[in-house]
Amino acid sequence: GLAVVVDDGADWDRIAGLDGADLTGTGVTPANVAYVIYTSGSTGQPKGVVIEHRNAVNYLCGVAERWSVGPADVVLQFGSFTFDASVLDTFTPLLAGARVVLAGPDTLHSPPLLAGLLRQARVTFALLPPTVLSLLDGEDFPDLRLLMAGGEELPPGVARAWIRPGLRLVNAYGPTEVTVAATYAELDATTPMPPPIGLPVQRNYRVYLLDPHGNPVPVGVTGELHVGGAGLARGYLNRPELTRERFIPDPFTPGQRLYRTGDLGRRRPDGSIMFAGRADGQVKIRGLRIELGEIEAALSGHPAVAQAVATVVTNPAGDKEIAAYLRPSQFAAAAGPGQSNAAAAGPGQVNAVGDEELRAWLARTLPAAWLPAYLTWLTEFPLTSSGKIDRGALPAPRTVTAPAVGRVPPRTATEAVLADLYATVLGRQAGATDSFFDLGGSSLTAMRLVALISQRVGVALGVASVFLHPTPRQLAATIDGVPRPEAQANSAPRTGSVSEGPLVKLTTGTDGPPLFLFHAVGGTVTAYAPLAWELAGAFSVYGLQSPGLDEHGEIPASLDALVSSYAERIRAAAPAGPYRLGGWSMGGVLALEVARRLERSGASVALLILLDAPFAIPADALLSEAELAGRFVADAAASLGLAVADVPDPATAAPEGQLGWLADRLGARDSMADSIAVDLHRRFAAFAAHTRMLAGYRASGARVRAPALVVTATGSPNAGFRADWPSLLSPSAQVLSVDSDHYGFLHPPLVADVGAIIREQGEGQVDGR
């Protein structure tokens, strides 16, 4: 081969004498291999990715055209030559006539030296990993016009720090197998956070979000990212089995292939894609599935944390635990000596905020089972040669100080039994004052709990009782209040029930005017528990759950009949009014129609709250019984932390088999099996009936006169209806949005913001004001 040296002036004459014509007759075709780059992926075993000339040229020409790279540009060559970002850094400027700036590792991996190089060389275009960007965000680079972030997930705080006038900030996503990048998102001050990864980089790229069966998922639903088109690699070098596994036939373009990235994403209503972690990023600890990406996102949300890494370690006892590594933000660094404890943390480590404060922050967002056992603060993260975090070089983790107050022991026999049942269901020890849900419980695991309580204590509870009284002490007081028949006065076990009925009180006490919240499509009201806790004191919150969940209840045949029955039930519970109504998802539809029904009858409605409600539902939403069961079971599996890929296929499994699979996963055994199976069948029947009655619904008719509040979720399929609601509501209606998906804003920490909005709106409506 020929080596050309360009740092010696004597070589310029030699270069100038070379033939400037394009090479011909080389025998090289677009289908020939351009390069092979090795990537370890999630398994750690290196895989050589074979990229052809047509893949690289197509991508590079697209970059130069889309971002107007030309002779006036100066491009930083940051990526290591073993990292595919170097292909963009090196060859884009050569194709476009721009200048390339080269530097050694000592300069590139030193934030002060790198910042000086960017300014001195007057770099206009750079691709840098978010970890590196986070170390430079306080710097000023007047010549930089285009900055790409890539190689790892871009934290919201880092994105916000780099959004500035005169700079185009681009979030790039793409595995090596699709030639450097697959999607781009240009970010600005109006971009909802966390930042999206955007849309396909070019018109000849294809990006799909598919479920485990290869079907496209709806807007707002998580699916696995599949990429096809002109950037797709030939495959893996000498790994035919792996190539067939990851490069699959494209079901939407005959004769073409798709690459299964193993990454998850969900689409926003505008079409852009949100990165949602790795499909294999789940870990299992104490039988619970845990998403490390969710923990990292929660930690990064604290103002004292600039960046977070969560991983799994083995403690001295041989058990798996979660360890978190944190880098403090500029906010924490500026907080003063009272906020730090570097000496206690060890060399290279800091304590930017107290462990107890950070654990309290996480407890608002994460289940207790997800809280890290180790929190280690570092002044900087170890980096690989490509600028990514080197997880293998992280130091030994530091143990989180145990809470000063231990578990409260039971003081009665009923409390002791319940604490034992909590431990049986959740796989974690429970004290008398520990909340079932803080320990990782859900509405579905609560089903198993109430079945066990019925078996062991002889009292039949509803799931809503667990939400209203979540600790063993509170629930024991409820159970001990159930009267015993005289024949059982001196014997055990007792039999009896705590009847809930369709109208369920979700707050204790009687403070505040009544607020009625209607169930969503599943028929239960347990999703409102966190919101009810936020509204306690301002309202007496009641939930209307589907009558089909009761043993002898029946669901009306139509939406109109259901609305009529709920209006009658509310008037019976509160004859005088004024009425305050609300609901999430289908519950919003019910609240709207009940409000309209009450106003037509002459009643006063003081407040109407619509939480991410659908304005219209396609008529083709009507599914077969097996498809309905599949959707019901998949939703339940996701809420339980089960692998959705393990859910029975609705195309081959009957509804009975699908529900039986779910009952088994809930731990239905022996005498509990019948109770859980009956409850599941009731829930599914309600879900199916409500889904059918909503098919083809579209909000219409006269305006509701009541003061109204509409809260939509930016990442929800219903976000597009935000502009439609004012036409049906009073002119004073407030329409607000929350940066969340359809489910997230009913959970901490966002539910606190939603509760504050509702309380503020309600204050002006008390007693008709």
Side-chain angles (χ1 to χ4, degrees):
L2 174 66
V4 179
V5 180
V6 297
D7 57 358
D8 186 342
D11 290 313
W12 285 105
D13 293 338
R14 183 174 158 212
I15 294 171
L18 296 175
D19 189 351
D22 291 339
L23 293 175
T24 58
T26 63
V28 177
T29 71
N32 285 132
V33 176
Y35 61 84
V36 176
I37 282 187
Y38 280 81
T39 176
S40 63
S42 59
T43 65
Q45 183 178 1
K47 307 185 295 287
V49 180
V50 180
I51 301 294
E52 299 174 350
H53 281 278
R54 57 187 167 192
N55 304 140
V57 171
N58 175 80
Y59 172 73
L60 294 167
C61 290
V63 170
E65 178 182 357
R66 177 165 183 173
W67 306 112
S68 303
V69 184
D73 280 301
V74 180
V75 180
L76 174 68
Q77 203 286 306
F78 179 87
S80 163
F81 288 111
T82 61
F83 182 43
D84 65 344
S86 65
V87 175
L88 179 147
D89 294 345
T90 305
F91 294 106
T92 301
L94 292 178
L95 284 173
R99 182 158 57 95
V100 184
V101 174
L102 303 173
D106 290 345
T107 297
L108 295 176
H109 296 163
S110 166
L113 294 178
L114 176 58
L117 175 66
L118 289 168
R119 282 191 290 266
Q120 182 182 1
R122 307 189 69 173
V123 170
T124 63
F125 180 2
L127 168 61
L128 297 172
T131 300
V132 175
L133 291 179
S134 69
L135 302 174
L136 300 174
D137 59 19
E139 302 281 354
D140 182 35
F141 305 102
D143 297 291
L144 193 61
R145 70 171 184 88
L146 180 62
L147 177 62
M148 285 189 182
E152 56 190 2
E153 192 170 358
L154 178 61
V158 177
R160 292 189 186 98
W162 279 97
I163 293 174
R164 55 189 70 170
L167 177 65
R168 300 179 74 178
L169 177 62
V170 178
N171 191 22
Y173 160 82
T176 304
E177 289 85 348
V178 295
T179 311
V180 186
T183 64
Y184 289 146
E186 187 167 355
L187 314 179
D188 57 34
T190 66
T191 303
M193 294 291 161
I197 59 173
L199 299 169
V201 296
Q202 292 164 211
R203 288 189 295 271
N204 56 9
Y205 275 58
R206 304 186 302 279
V207 179
Y208 302 100
L209 291 170
L210 306 180
D211 66 17
H213 307 292
N215 301 311
V217 298
V219 172
V221 175
T222 299
E224 183 180 354
L225 279 154
H226 291 64
V227 182
L232 206 61
R234 180 185 293 181
Y236 296 114
L237 183 64
N238 298 326
R239 301 284 297 277
E241 298 84 2
L242 186 60
T243 298
R244 285 193 295 270
E245 176 188 339
R246 305 303 298 182
F247 292 82
I248 64 174
D250 184 344
F252 313 108
T253 309
Q256 300 295 309
R257 298 176 304 150
L258 294 177
Y259 173 65
R260 293 178 53 218
T261 67
D263 292 326
L264 301 177
R266 56 180 175 271
R267 208 174 287 276
R268 285 179 169 168
D270 64 2
S272 65
I273 297 170
M274 297 291 301
F275 182 76
R278 287 285 301 172
D280 55 7
Q282 291 181 338
V283 296
K284 201 166 186 179
I285 298 177
R286 293 181 293 274
L288 297 174
R289 292 186 182 272
I290 296 171
E291 292 280 0
L292 296 178
E294 295 277 355
I295 298 172
E296 292 173 349
L299 288 164
S300 298
H302 193 285
V305 180
Q307 199 167 13
V309 173
T311 187
V312 176
V313 297
T314 302
N315 64 22
D319 298 323
K320 290 182 178 180
E321 299 280 7
I322 301 167
Y325 294 85
L326 314 165
R327 192 171 60 77
S329 66
Q330 291 182 346
F331 167 85
Q339 298 273 343
S340 66
N341 186 10
Q349 303 179 15
V350 295
N351 238 5
V353 67
D355 289 344
E356 289 187 8
E357 178 184 336
L358 190 57
R359 284 178 65 81
W361 166 273
L362 293 176
R364 296 185 64 218
T365 313
L366 302 174
W370 292 30
L371 296 180
Y374 305 90
L375 294 176
T376 304
W377 292 86
L378 301 175
T379 54
E380 59 183 29
F381 287 136
L383 304 180
T384 65
S385 61
S386 60
K388 294 183 180 182
I389 295 172
D390 187 350
R391 292 173 180 258
L394 291 167
R398 186 170 62 84
T399 306
V400 174
T401 304
V405 180
R407 290 190 173 90
V408 176
R411 63 188 182 192
T412 69
T414 306
E415 288 182 12
V417 170
L418 291 175
D420 181 60
L421 295 183
Y422 276 40
T424 299
V425 172
L426 301 175
R428 300 172 65 87
Q429 294 301 311
T433 58
D434 290 335
S435 168
F436 181 79
F437 303 100
D438 288 345
L439 294 174
S442 67
S443 63
L444 286 164
T445 49
M447 286 172 51
R448 187 177 179 218
L449 177 66
V450 298
L452 281 169
I453 291 172
S454 176
Q455 177 184 341
R456 289 273 299 274
V457 185
V459 173
L461 298 175
V463 171
S465 295
V466 183
F467 275 82
L468 195 57
H469 311 289
T471 72
R473 179 153 296 168
Q474 293 169 331
L475 200 54
T478 301
I479 291 171
D480 289 339
V482 175
R484 292 187 292 177
E486 288 297 324
Q488 296 180 353
N490 297 311
S491 63
R494 291 172 293 160
T495 59
S497 65
V498 178
S499 177
E500 293 166 358
L503 192 62
V504 180
K505 195 158 192 291
L506 296 177
T507 53
T508 57
T510 57
D511 292 339
L515 170 64
F516 298 96
L517 298 178
F518 296 86
H519 64 78
V521 71
T524 67
V525 294
T526 50
Y528 293 126
L531 180 62
W533 297 335
E534 295 291 339
L535 298 178
F539 298 95
S540 293
V541 184
Y542 294 84
L544 276 95
Q545 64 181 10
S546 174
L549 300 182
D550 287 345
E551 182 177 357
H552 302 295
E554 292 186 2
I555 301 174
S558 67
L559 181 64
D560 185 67
L562 186 65
V563 167
S564 179
S565 70
Y566 285 157
E568 293 173 5
R569 188 173 297 277
I570 287 176
R571 297 204 74 159
Y579 299 100
R580 293 160 184 84
L581 313 173
W584 165 67
S585 195
M586 177 189 180
V589 171
L590 293 171
L592 172 75
E593 298 300 336
V594 170
R596 182 176 282 131
R597 185 73 56 96
L598 290 172
E599 286 188 342
R600 282 204 303 264
S601 69
S604 171
V605 179
L607 180 61
L608 174 62
I609 303 166
L610 306 179
L611 302 176
D612 207 48
F615 190 88
I617 297 173
D620 60 6
L622 194 59
L623 303 174
S624 69
E625 193 80 0
E627 290 170 323
L628 284 169
R631 182 175 295 180
F632 174 80
V633 172
D635 287 348
S639 72
L640 287 169
L642 301 172
V644 177
D646 296 337
V647 172
D649 187 348
T652 57
E656 191 68 29
Q658 297 180 59
L659 295 175
W661 178 90
L662 180 57
D664 287 342
R665 299 313 180 276
L666 285 169
R669 299 289 186 273
D670 304 325
S671 58
M672 287 194 303
D674 290 343
S675 173
I676 290 180
V678 167
D679 202 346
L680 273 180
H681 278 78
R682 285 180 188 153
R683 286 184 176 222
F684 171 59
F687 172 86
H690 298 146
T691 301
R692 292 191 180 101
M693 67 175 61
L694 280 175
Y697 171 83
R698 183 174 183 83
S700 60
R703 284 180 181 267
V704 174
R705 298 188 298 274
L709 171 65
V710 179
V711 183
T712 63
T714 57
S716 164
N718 297 327
F721 298 133
R722 188 169 183 264
D724 296 323
W725 285 113
S727 65
L728 291 181
L729 304 175
S730 68
S732 63
Q734 289 191 60
V735 181
L736 307 173
S737 62
V738 175
D739 188 14
S740 171
D741 60 20
H742 182 58
Y743 302 92
F745 76 144
L746 285 183
H747 299 284
L750 292 178
V751 70
D753 299 330
V754 176
I757 293 169
I758 294 174
R759 287 197 306 271
E760 181 180 353
Q761 180 78 359
E763 286 175 358
Q765 309 304 330
V766 175
D767 297 328
R769 287 180 294 167

